[in-house]
Tab-separated table of all heavy atoms in Angstrom:
chain	number	residue	atom	x	y	z
F	115	ASN	N	-39.670	32.129	21.678
F	115	ASN	CA	-40.345	32.187	22.988
F	115	ASN	C	-40.933	30.844	23.410
F	115	ASN	O	-41.537	30.745	24.488
F	115	ASN	CB	-41.483	33.220	22.944
F	115	ASN	CG	-40.978	34.612	22.610
F	115	ASN	OD1	-39.900	34.999	23.046
F	115	ASN	ND2	-41.758	35.365	21.836
F	116	ALA	N	-40.774	29.816	22.581
F	116	ALA	CA	-41.504	28.564	22.775
F	116	ALA	C	-41.198	27.880	24.099
F	116	ALA	O	-42.114	27.461	24.819
F	116	ALA	CB	-41.216	27.605	21.616
F	117	VAL	N	-39.944	27.750	24.446
F	117	VAL	CA	-39.595	26.992	25.655
F	117	VAL	C	-40.118	27.694	26.904
F	117	VAL	O	-40.710	27.057	27.788
F	117	VAL	CB	-38.072	26.770	25.746
F	117	VAL	CG1	-37.721	26.060	27.050
F	117	VAL	CG2	-37.582	25.938	24.553
F	118	ASN	N	-39.927	29.015	26.996
F	118	ASN	CA	-40.441	29.755	28.155
F	118	ASN	C	-41.957	29.683	28.233
F	118	ASN	O	-42.526	29.528	29.319
F	118	ASN	CB	-39.990	31.212	28.101
F	118	ASN	CG	-38.539	31.381	28.525
F	118	ASN	OD1	-38.014	30.558	29.271
F	118	ASN	ND2	-37.901	32.432	28.040
F	119	ALA	N	-42.623	29.804	27.071
F	119	ALA	CA	-44.084	29.733	27.051
F	119	ALA	C	-44.576	28.359	27.496
F	119	ALA	O	-45.602	28.239	28.178
F	119	ALA	CB	-44.605	30.061	25.652
F	120	LEU	N	-43.832	27.313	27.124
F	120	LEU	CA	-44.191	25.962	27.545
F	120	LEU	C	-44.006	25.802	29.054
F	120	LEU	O	-44.865	25.238	29.740
F	120	LEU	CB	-43.330	24.944	26.777
F	120	LEU	CG	-43.833	23.496	26.746
F	120	LEU	CD1	-45.059	23.383	25.854
F	120	LEU	CD2	-42.739	22.547	26.244
F	121	LYS	N	-42.882	26.309	29.563
F	121	LYS	CA	-42.612	26.244	31.002
F	121	LYS	C	-43.704	26.945	31.809
F	121	LYS	O	-44.105	26.484	32.877
F	121	LYS	CB	-41.265	26.899	31.320
F	121	LYS	CG	-40.041	26.124	30.905
F	121	LYS	CD	-38.793	26.915	31.279
F	121	LYS	CE	-37.529	26.257	30.805
F	121	LYS	NZ	-36.317	27.060	31.135
F	122	ASN	N	-44.156	28.103	31.288
F	122	ASN	CA	-45.138	28.917	32.009
F	122	ASN	C	-46.573	28.470	31.796
F	122	ASN	O	-47.503	29.077	32.344
F	122	ASN	CB	-45.001	30.392	31.589
F	122	ASN	CG	-43.636	30.962	31.931
F	122	ASN	OD1	-43.001	30.515	32.880
F	122	ASN	ND2	-43.185	31.940	31.157
F	123	GLY	N	-46.769	27.421	30.983
F	123	GLY	CA	-48.107	26.921	30.741
F	123	GLY	C	-48.943	27.784	29.813
F	123	GLY	O	-50.159	27.612	29.716
F	124	GLN	N	-48.280	28.699	29.081
F	124	GLN	CA	-49.010	29.564	28.140
F	124	GLN	C	-49.387	28.810	26.870
F	124	GLN	O	-50.322	29.200	26.173
F	124	GLN	CB	-48.157	30.787	27.789
F	124	GLN	CG	-47.885	31.701	28.973
F	124	GLN	CD	-46.817	32.736	28.648
F	124	GLN	OE1	-45.652	32.406	28.389
F	124	GLN	NE2	-47.223	33.991	28.649
F	125	ILE	N	-48.634	27.778	26.568
F	125	ILE	CA	-48.928	26.937	25.412
F	125	ILE	C	-48.854	25.480	25.843
F	125	ILE	O	-48.259	25.145	26.878
F	125	ILE	CB	-47.948	27.184	24.240
F	125	ILE	CG1	-46.492	26.890	24.679
F	125	ILE	CG2	-48.086	28.600	23.693
F	125	ILE	CD1	-45.481	26.956	23.550
F	126	ASP	N	-49.450	24.612	25.041
F	126	ASP	CA	-49.393	23.169	25.312
F	126	ASP	C	-48.301	22.487	24.508
F	126	ASP	O	-47.887	21.367	24.835
F	126	ASP	CB	-50.740	22.522	24.981
F	126	ASP	CG	-51.865	23.063	25.841
F	126	ASP	OD1	-51.806	22.898	27.071
F	126	ASP	OD2	-52.800	23.673	25.267
F	127	GLY	N	-47.878	23.151	23.444
F	127	GLY	CA	-46.858	22.546	22.605
F	127	GLY	C	-46.350	23.513	21.560
F	127	GLY	O	-46.891	24.617	21.395
F	128	PHE	N	-45.292	23.093	20.854
F	128	PHE	CA	-44.764	23.923	19.765
F	128	PHE	C	-44.232	23.022	18.659
F	128	PHE	O	-43.974	21.827	18.865
F	128	PHE	CB	-43.688	24.888	20.263
F	128	PHE	CG	-42.428	24.252	20.802
F	128	PHE	CD1	-41.343	23.979	19.972
F	128	PHE	CD2	-42.317	23.945	22.161
F	128	PHE	CE1	-40.174	23.410	20.470
F	128	PHE	CE2	-41.150	23.375	22.675
F	128	PHE	CZ	-40.081	23.115	21.823
F	129	VAL	N	-44.091	23.616	17.486
F	129	VAL	CA	-43.590	22.894	16.316
F	129	VAL	C	-42.269	23.533	15.900
F	129	VAL	O	-42.166	24.761	15.805
F	129	VAL	CB	-44.589	22.955	15.152
F	129	VAL	CG1	-44.042	22.200	13.930
F	129	VAL	CG2	-45.935	22.372	15.566
F	130	THR	N	-41.270	22.708	15.692
F	130	THR	CA	-39.984	23.239	15.253
F	130	THR	C	-39.365	22.289	14.241
F	130	THR	O	-39.608	21.079	14.274
F	130	THR	CB	-39.040	23.443	16.462
F	130	THR	OG1	-37.844	24.087	16.031
F	130	THR	CG2	-38.677	22.115	17.116
F	131	ALA	N	-38.593	22.840	13.336
F	131	ALA	CA	-37.892	22.033	12.336
F	131	ALA	C	-36.423	22.413	12.355
F	131	ALA	O	-36.080	23.598	12.327
F	131	ALA	CB	-38.473	22.253	10.946
F	132	GLY	N	-35.583	21.433	12.438
F	132	GLY	CA	-34.143	21.663	12.433
F	132	GLY	C	-33.455	20.331	12.533
F	132	GLY	O	-34.089	19.291	12.628
F	133	SER	N	-32.141	20.359	12.491
F	133	SER	CA	-31.414	19.106	12.648
F	133	SER	C	-31.629	18.587	14.058
F	133	SER	O	-31.841	19.360	14.985
F	133	SER	CB	-29.925	19.371	12.422
F	133	SER	OG	-29.508	20.442	13.243
F	134	PHE	N	-31.642	17.259	14.202
F	134	PHE	CA	-31.807	16.727	15.553
F	134	PHE	C	-30.462	16.250	16.086
F	134	PHE	O	-29.595	15.846	15.298
F	134	PHE	CB	-32.840	15.588	15.556
F	134	PHE	CG	-32.339	14.262	15.040
F	134	PHE	CD1	-31.713	13.345	15.882
F	134	PHE	CD2	-32.475	13.915	13.704
F	134	PHE	CE1	-31.247	12.120	15.418
F	134	PHE	CE2	-32.012	12.694	13.217
F	134	PHE	CZ	-31.400	11.799	14.088
F	135	PRO	N	-30.251	16.340	17.414
F	135	PRO	CA	-31.174	16.861	18.413
F	135	PRO	C	-31.277	18.384	18.343
F	135	PRO	O	-30.265	19.070	18.262
F	135	PRO	CB	-30.551	16.402	19.736
F	135	PRO	CG	-29.094	16.230	19.443
F	135	PRO	CD	-29.004	15.799	18.021
F	136	ALA	N	-32.523	18.893	18.382
F	136	ALA	CA	-32.771	20.325	18.264
F	136	ALA	C	-32.541	20.999	19.620
F	136	ALA	O	-33.070	20.536	20.632
F	136	ALA	CB	-34.203	20.557	17.796
F	137	PRO	N	-31.768	22.074	19.675
F	137	PRO	CA	-31.455	22.721	20.957
F	137	PRO	C	-32.690	23.127	21.770
F	137	PRO	O	-32.708	22.938	22.993
F	137	PRO	CB	-30.654	23.961	20.532
F	137	PRO	CG	-30.013	23.556	19.244
F	137	PRO	CD	-31.036	22.702	18.561
F	138	ASN	N	-33.733	23.650	21.103
F	138	ASN	CA	-34.915	24.068	21.868
F	138	ASN	C	-35.690	22.870	22.418
F	138	ASN	O	-36.304	22.937	23.486
F	138	ASN	CB	-35.828	24.994	21.053
F	138	ASN	CG	-36.193	24.446	19.693
F	138	ASN	OD1	-35.746	23.378	19.280
F	138	ASN	ND2	-37.014	25.194	18.963
F	139	VAL	N	-35.635	21.732	21.723
F	139	VAL	CA	-36.299	20.523	22.221
F	139	VAL	C	-35.490	19.929	23.380
F	139	VAL	O	-36.065	19.446	24.364
F	139	VAL	CB	-36.490	19.488	21.095
F	139	VAL	CG1	-37.233	18.256	21.611
F	139	VAL	CG2	-37.261	20.105	19.928
F	140	ILE	N	-34.170	19.975	23.269
F	140	ILE	CA	-33.315	19.516	24.369
F	140	ILE	C	-33.639	20.298	25.645
F	140	ILE	O	-33.824	19.724	26.722
F	140	ILE	CB	-31.822	19.695	24.012
F	140	ILE	CG1	-31.406	18.728	22.909
F	140	ILE	CG2	-30.944	19.489	25.254
F	140	ILE	CD1	-29.993	18.946	22.406
F	141	GLU	N	-33.740	21.624	25.503
F	141	GLU	CA	-34.018	22.483	26.662
F	141	GLU	C	-35.397	22.195	27.251
F	141	GLU	O	-35.551	22.068	28.470
F	141	GLU	CB	-33.916	23.952	26.260
F	141	GLU	CG	-34.109	24.912	27.421
F	141	GLU	CD	-34.051	26.375	27.013
F	141	GLU	OE1	-33.780	26.658	25.824
F	141	GLU	OE2	-34.310	27.238	27.877
F	142	ALA	N	-36.394	22.072	26.375
F	142	ALA	CA	-37.758	21.815	26.850
F	142	ALA	C	-37.859	20.459	27.539
F	142	ALA	O	-38.490	20.323	28.596
F	142	ALA	CB	-38.740	21.889	25.684
F	143	ALA	N	-37.218	19.443	26.951
F	143	ALA	CA	-37.285	18.094	27.522
F	143	ALA	C	-36.604	18.031	28.884
F	143	ALA	O	-37.072	17.349	29.797
F	143	ALA	CB	-36.642	17.101	26.562
F	144	ALA	N	-35.495	18.761	29.018
F	144	ALA	CA	-34.740	18.723	30.267
F	144	ALA	C	-35.389	19.548	31.371
F	144	ALA	O	-35.266	19.224	32.551
F	144	ALA	CB	-33.318	19.211	30.021
F	145	SER	N	-36.104	20.607	30.977
F	145	SER	CA	-36.620	21.536	31.987
F	145	SER	C	-38.072	21.285	32.387
F	145	SER	O	-38.446	21.498	33.542
F	145	SER	CB	-36.477	22.978	31.497
F	145	SER	OG	-37.189	23.174	30.283
F	146	THR	N	-38.896	20.839	31.444
F	146	THR	CA	-40.318	20.670	31.775
F	146	THR	C	-40.850	19.273	31.509
F	146	THR	O	-41.897	18.896	32.025
F	146	THR	CB	-41.186	21.661	30.973
F	146	THR	OG1	-41.069	21.359	29.578
F	146	THR	CG2	-40.743	23.091	31.194
F	147	GLY	N	-40.175	18.518	30.677
F	147	GLY	CA	-40.681	17.197	30.285
F	147	GLY	C	-41.623	17.342	29.112
F	147	GLY	O	-42.579	18.118	29.161
F	148	VAL	N	-41.328	16.638	28.029
F	148	VAL	CA	-42.145	16.756	26.821
F	148	VAL	C	-42.374	15.394	26.189
F	148	VAL	O	-41.674	14.423	26.484
F	148	VAL	CB	-41.485	17.680	25.769
F	148	VAL	CG1	-41.292	19.090	26.315
F	148	VAL	CG2	-40.150	17.099	25.281
F	149	THR	N	-43.357	15.354	25.297
F	149	THR	CA	-43.578	14.211	24.416
F	149	THR	C	-43.452	14.716	22.988
F	149	THR	O	-44.149	15.660	22.601
F	149	THR	CB	-44.977	13.610	24.613
F	149	THR	OG1	-45.103	13.140	25.952
F	149	THR	CG2	-45.207	12.448	23.648
F	150	VAL	N	-42.541	14.139	22.230
F	150	VAL	CA	-42.420	14.476	20.808
F	150	VAL	C	-43.236	13.444	20.035
F	150	VAL	O	-42.994	12.242	20.127
F	150	VAL	CB	-40.950	14.467	20.349
F	150	VAL	CG1	-40.862	14.841	18.862
F	150	VAL	CG2	-40.117	15.433	21.187
F	151	LEU	N	-44.246	13.930	19.299
F	151	LEU	CA	-45.202	13.035	18.658
F	151	LEU	C	-44.595	12.290	17.474
F	151	LEU	O	-43.801	12.837	16.714
F	151	LEU	CB	-46.420	13.818	18.181
F	151	LEU	CG	-47.169	14.635	19.237
F	151	LEU	CD1	-48.426	15.266	18.616
F	151	LEU	CD2	-47.553	13.770	20.440
F	152	SER	N	-45.003	11.038	17.315
F	152	SER	CA	-44.643	10.247	16.142
F	152	SER	C	-45.764	10.301	15.115
F	152	SER	O	-46.947	10.431	15.467
F	152	SER	CB	-44.406	8.783	16.530
F	152	SER	OG	-43.108	8.577	17.023
F	153	LEU	N	-45.399	10.203	13.843
F	153	LEU	CA	-46.366	10.132	12.756
F	153	LEU	C	-46.511	8.676	12.334
F	153	LEU	O	-45.533	7.914	12.339
F	153	LEU	CB	-45.912	10.957	11.553
F	153	LEU	CG	-46.102	12.479	11.622
F	153	LEU	CD1	-45.114	13.116	12.601
F	153	LEU	CD2	-45.944	13.110	10.232
F	154	ASN	N	-47.730	8.291	11.958
F	154	ASN	CA	-47.924	6.941	11.444
F	154	ASN	C	-47.670	6.912	9.938
F	154	ASN	O	-47.430	7.958	9.310
F	154	ASN	CB	-49.319	6.407	11.797
F	154	ASN	CG	-50.446	7.268	11.229
F	154	ASN	OD1	-50.343	7.804	10.110
F	154	ASN	ND2	-51.541	7.406	11.978
F	155	ASP	N	-47.734	5.718	9.355
F	155	ASP	CA	-47.422	5.567	7.935
F	155	ASP	C	-48.335	6.408	7.052
F	155	ASP	O	-47.888	7.018	6.068
F	155	ASP	CB	-47.538	4.091	7.527
F	155	ASP	CG	-46.451	3.227	8.145
F	155	ASP	OD1	-45.451	3.795	8.636
F	155	ASP	OD2	-46.606	1.993	8.145
F	156	GLU	N	-49.617	6.457	7.377
F	156	GLU	CA	-50.566	7.229	6.578
F	156	GLU	C	-50.241	8.722	6.640
F	156	GLU	O	-50.284	9.412	5.612
F	156	GLU	CB	-51.991	6.989	7.082
F	156	GLU	CG	-53.054	7.720	6.266
F	156	GLU	CD	-54.460	7.497	6.800
F	156	GLU	OE1	-54.629	6.676	7.735
F	156	GLU	OE2	-55.387	8.159	6.301
F	157	GLN	N	-49.899	9.209	7.811
F	157	GLN	CA	-49.572	10.626	7.961
F	157	GLN	C	-48.292	10.990	7.210
F	157	GLN	O	-48.212	12.049	6.586
F	157	GLN	CB	-49.451	10.964	9.450
F	157	GLN	CG	-50.776	10.950	10.181
F	157	GLN	CD	-50.621	10.985	11.689
F	157	GLN	OE1	-49.601	10.546	12.230
F	157	GLN	NE2	-51.628	11.499	12.390
F	158	ILE	N	-47.321	10.101	7.240
F	158	ILE	CA	-46.080	10.350	6.507
F	158	ILE	C	-46.357	10.392	5.008
F	158	ILE	O	-45.838	11.259	4.286
F	158	ILE	CB	-45.026	9.279	6.842
F	158	ILE	CG1	-44.563	9.451	8.299
F	158	ILE	CG2	-43.835	9.364	5.890
F	158	ILE	CD1	-43.675	8.348	8.804
F	159	ALA	N	-47.198	9.488	4.536
F	159	ALA	CA	-47.559	9.478	3.114
F	159	ALA	C	-48.284	10.769	2.731
F	159	ALA	O	-48.030	11.347	1.667
F	159	ALA	CB	-48.432	8.272	2.807
């Protein structure tokens, strides 16, 4: 339900794991505009 919920403003974001490019992220980016967050070195560690 993540992409529809994002479109409707019910959520501010979602977390997904899969091979990239991820189909649900492609859909969200194309339909509503998104920012996919980057992790810094400390967070990765």
Side-chain angles (χ1 to χ4, degrees):
N115 300 323
V117 176
N118 283 335
L120 198 72
K121 287 179 184 178
N122 298 332
Q124 295 169 296
I125 60 174
D126 298 298
F128 64 90
V129 180
T130 186
S133 52
F134 78 87
N138 52 357
V139 182
I140 291 174
E141 183 182 356
S145 59
T146 64
V148 300
T149 298
V150 181
L151 304 185
S152 277
L153 282 72
N154 60 37
D155 291 344
E156 182 181 354
Q157 289 168 334
I158 291 172

